[in-house]
Structures are given as structure tokens and as C-alpha cells.
Amino acid sequence: MLKVFIVGSLALLVAISSSNSQQLHRVPVYRQQNFVKTRANINAELAHVRAKYQAPLNLDAATNTSTSTTSLPSLELSNTMNMEYYGAITIGTPPQSFKVQLDTGSSNLWVPSNQCTSLACMDHTQYDPASSTSYKYNGTPITLQYITGTMTGYLAVDVVNVNGMNIPDQTFAVATSEPGTILVDASFDGILGLAYQSLAIDNVVPPFYNMIALGLVANPVFSFYLARNASSDFGGELIFGGSDHSLFAGNMVYVDVSTQDYWQFEVDNITMNGQVLCSQCQAVADTGTSLILAPKAAFELIESQLNIDADGLIDCTRTYPTLKLAIGGAIFGIPSSAYIVFESDNICVLGISYTTTDLWILGDVFIGQYYTEFDLGKNRIGFASVHGLNYTAGGGASSLKHLRFLEFGVVLALLWKALAYLN
């Protein structure tokens, strides 16, 4: 009798789970096939990210102190940012297609204008308002600061479609000038910001907020799964409305958002090879960068452990320690295979750099290892180990030794949920 009840309960849960999964809106994340990141890409990306977090480019000059840390190569305008992941949206009627960086580190949607003559605009798809019957004039000037200068443009209103979800009257920025060449070779045309509205330039309502207001998503939640198979152009999924539990192992570990602009939260501590790099530190989950950026003092400790040479290179043949982050009482490890970038000809560079802010910026190096949920309704962020990526030595949320217990706990929780549902 008990077996029949358990089987029936599990069948009911499968039906409930299937119903919930149908409420999820899946946006494919694409990646450049056989993508190879170079030092030039990393330098350009550092310039972009530091500007986004309002950190000076020349850190030694900014702090006016000497340091033993090897200076990064000069981030000149000739460097180009070649990001690995991007998504697809359409704007206007009939639809005009754009590739966009899906960025939890900013809040505005912007694409290039057909009036823009900058090289970065000319090499990408440009929005033509005259070709859209649903375009509405706004015209408010807008500026977005970048390390290479100020991107200027104006606000427009049109229908935006995100994988079948129509957002009528979405306000977005249209760039009429993109400075420098940093975005010339970018794999994306524009940026779709997914951070809090308080971070948006001119307080423009972000697309996800409008999705919620229009009832396009069942829950005010979105989540990221990033695939790490370099030989495929499938980069994972951006899921609106919740999380897909089939894409991660064990329980989701949640922490509250500490500041509601970026997706910022507190990390209990971060260690490498037993050395504490920080305690009660603030971090940001940022899908708009592939790197990890640490405060300068913490980066110097990392650099001393890894023996970075005078040219900023690292020995590809050595074994390196796991970077461990204690979040919400669990340990999340980043193995050296994730934070060391193999360029070519046995040349390796570090996928970790530094900034003058007090924030740890956790980009794809981290998010690629851990399914990440962004819960706007409850102002929290969740992390869980992606299936097959369980490599934190000595225990923690991503430890295989603990997954059996986590899975057993999940089964008990599901049975309890089934009983509650039947009652």
C-alpha cells in the first residue's frame, strides 16, 4: 500500500513538475563555436567591465601607490571585446533581428542606430525606426559611459520580442555613436540589461520588469544555464519565469540581494589553497563578463600563489588550487580549468583580474560552473551545481560526496509536497 502511495505521489509530482516547466520561457543562449579567448579580448573586456563599475582603467595611477603586481598591458582602443555568449531578440514591426549580450550587470536595452557612422555600428545590425510601423517617437538624449568615451544616442519606443514574448511599447536606447573600436568585433549588436531598474540610465523600465507587468512570466524570476562545450554553438539557456531543476544537481543555495542595483550579495569568505582572500565580502553575479574581477589586494594574494610571470602569463603545465567561495553556508569551487585561459602554443593567461572597487565581479568563469537564479520577487539570488561539474575538493554544495544526501533530501521534500497537495 505504501509503495502504491509513493508511486502515485511521484507520478503526481511529475505532472506538477511538467505543468511548471511549461510555464518557463526558454531563450537560447548562443556561443561562438570553437571560441578562443585571447589576451587582447581579455584586456578589452577588462576596460569595458571596469567602466561599467566606474573603476579607473590605470589602477596604479588611480591609487597613487607602488605595487609588486605586474602591470596589465595597456588597454588601448585597438583591443576588441569578443564575448563568447549572446542571445537573439527582435525589435519593431516587421521584426528586425539583433544579437544582444544578456547582461545582469546593467539595466538598459540598447542597439545601434542606422544613423550611426561609428565603425562599431557599421559592422553590426542597425535599428531603422522608419522601417517599423510600431515605432513611437521619444527622442530623449541618452549617454552611456565607456572607458573609451561616451556612447550617445536617443530613446525610442517599439515592440520588443524575446523568444515569442512580445513587449509592446518597450523603451530602449538607440546608439548614434559608439566610441573607439572596442566593440567592433563583438559577437553581439547591443546589450539587454537584466539588473535592477534603479541602475537604469534615465530610469528606463527594463524589459524584464515589463514582462512581469504584462503577465508574460508566471514568476518574477529568471535563471541562467551556460554550457561549456567549446565545440558547439549551443551556449545554454536564459530561462524566464523560474528555474529548470533538470539542469542542476542538489539544492539551490539562496542568499539575499544586499544592494538592489546590481545583483549584489554577501559572500561569507573566499579562499585559495587555505589562504583567506576576504571575509564578509560583497560580490556581483554578472553575465556581462566572462572573467572574475577581485579587489586589488585580494588579486595580489592570488597572483602570488599562482606565480604569474612578468608578462602576465601562467605556466600551463602546473597544477593549481581551486578558488573556493563560501556562499550561504555552502562551498562553491572554481577549478583552475575554469579560471585559467589557454590561448595557444602552450600560452596560458589568468581569467581573474582586479579592480579598485570593493566588489568581486563573478562572470562566466563562475556562472558557467553554477546554475544561477535571479529572483526579483524575493530579492535573492540562488546557485546550484551544474550536472557533471562537481569538483570542489573537501566537500560543499558541489561535492559528489554530499550530493547523495542532497538528493535524498530532495526526494523527502517532494514526498512532503505531494502529501500537502493531496490534503
Side-chain angles (χ1 to χ4, degrees):
M1 181 67 182
L2 179 60
K3 181 184 290 186
V4 172
F5 171 75
I6 292 176
V7 170
S9 299
L10 290 175
L12 176 62
L13 287 170
V14 169
I16 296 172
S17 176
S18 175
S19 174
N20 290 338
S21 66
Q22 293 173 4
Q23 298 176 8
L24 301 179
H25 296 271
R26 301 172 183 273
V27 178
V29 175
Y30 302 98
R31 64 182 294 168
Q32 298 185 62
Q33 193 168 354
N34 299 317
F35 176 83
V36 177
K37 184 174 284 295
T38 67
R39 275 176 287 175
N41 299 152
I42 291 174
N43 291 341
E45 189 177 333
L46 283 172
H48 178 76
V49 176
R50 286 171 181 163
K52 183 164 65 173
Y53 291 93
Q54 299 179 348
L57 179 59
N58 187 332
L59 300 184
D60 290 339
T63 56
N64 195 29
T65 59
S66 61
T67 176
S68 60
T69 303
T70 302
S71 297
L72 290 177
S74 177
L75 307 187
E76 300 295 338
L77 302 190
S78 60
N79 290 336
T80 55
M81 188 170 68
N82 195 9
M83 292 293 291
E84 190 170 3
Y85 299 98
Y86 58 89
I89 66 170
T90 66
I91 302 176
T93 309
Q96 301 175 40
S97 299
F98 297 90
K99 297 176 181 177
V100 290
Q101 183 188 67
L102 305 166
D103 183 17
T104 59
S106 67
S107 300
N108 289 87
L109 167 62
W110 70 263
V111 293
S113 165
N114 66 335
Q115 300 172 358
C116 180
T117 58
S118 302
L119 186 58
C121 292
M122 300 298 290
D123 283 354
H124 291 91
T125 303
Q126 299 168 292
Y127 172 70
D128 181 6
S131 298
S132 175
T133 59
S134 49
Y135 163 75
K136 295 179 181 178
Y137 176 80
N138 180 302
T140 302
I142 187 170
T143 60
L144 299 174
Q145 295 294 329
Y146 288 92
I147 203 71
T148 55
T150 301
M151 189 199 80
T152 59
Y154 62 92
L155 294 180
V157 179
D158 209 335
V159 58
V160 172
N161 185 285
V162 182
N163 202 41
M165 289 186 289
N166 258 348
I167 309 172
D169 299 330
Q170 174 66 51
T171 302
F172 61 100
V174 184
T176 55
S177 174
E178 294 182 26
T181 59
I182 195 170
L183 296 175
V184 168
D185 289 335
S187 56
F188 52 88
D189 305 308
I191 293 178
L192 173 59
L194 292 163
Y196 282 84
Q197 183 178 351
S198 59
L199 194 64
I201 304 299
D202 285 3
N203 200 36
V204 172
V205 180
F208 184 56
Y209 280 69
N210 282 329
M211 289 181 191
I212 297 168
L214 292 167
L216 298 177
V217 292
N219 300 295
V221 177
F222 64 90
S223 56
F224 271 91
Y225 163 70
L226 297 181
R228 307 298 288 177
N229 181 6
S231 63
S232 171
D233 61 0
F234 172 71
E237 291 181 311
L238 163 58
I239 299 175
F240 288 107
S243 293
D244 183 347
H245 291 252
S246 71
L247 295 175
F248 60 85
N251 290 327
M252 185 77 71
V253 176
Y254 290 102
V255 287
D256 291 335
V257 171
S258 55
T259 302
Q260 295 176 23
D261 44 30
Y262 300 111
W263 286 95
Q264 183 175 330
F265 59 97
E266 183 174 278
V267 179
D268 301 327
N269 62 70
I270 300 177
T271 62
M272 176 177 276
N273 206 24
Q275 183 175 30
V276 177
L277 305 177
C278 75
S279 296
Q280 282 76 55
C281 26
Q282 291 293 308
V284 173
D286 186 351
T287 59
T289 176
S290 66
L291 308 172
I292 288 180
L293 270 69
K296 189 178 180 184
F299 176 77
E300 289 177 340
L301 295 175
I302 294 172
E303 190 180 44
S304 65
Q305 285 212 27
L306 303 182
N307 295 321
I308 310 298
D309 72 15
D311 295 321
L313 303 179
I314 190 168
D315 185 352
C316 299
T317 63
R318 285 185 54 201
T319 300
Y320 295 96
T322 297
L323 180 66
K324 298 182 180 180
L325 295 86
I327 302 172
I331 305 297
F332 295 85
I334 306 175
S336 60
S337 59
Y339 68 71
I340 292 177
V341 178
F342 181 84
E343 187 173 350
S344 63
D345 299 326
N346 207 33
I347 296 175
C348 289
V349 294
L350 191 61
I352 304 174
S353 191
Y354 60 103
T355 178
T356 54
T357 72
D358 293 329
L359 296 174
W360 285 73
I361 313 302
L362 305 180
D364 300 343
V365 169
F366 178 82
I367 297 172
Q369 322 306 315
Y370 296 101
Y371 190 105
T372 305
E373 178 182 290
F374 300 84
D375 190 337
L376 187 62
K378 296 181 180 179
N379 292 310
R380 65 180 185 176
I381 188 166
F383 304 103
S385 178
V386 173
H387 285 307
L389 298 179
N390 308 296
Y391 29 50
T392 300
S398 57
S399 169
L400 282 172
K401 183 175 70 175
H402 287 73
L403 282 178
R404 295 290 184 186
F405 296 100
L406 291 173
E407 289 165 354
F408 180 69
V410 169
V411 171
L412 290 179
L414 289 174
L415 289 174
W416 184 262
K417 184 176 180 180
L419 285 171
Y421 184 87
L422 290 172
N423 290 333

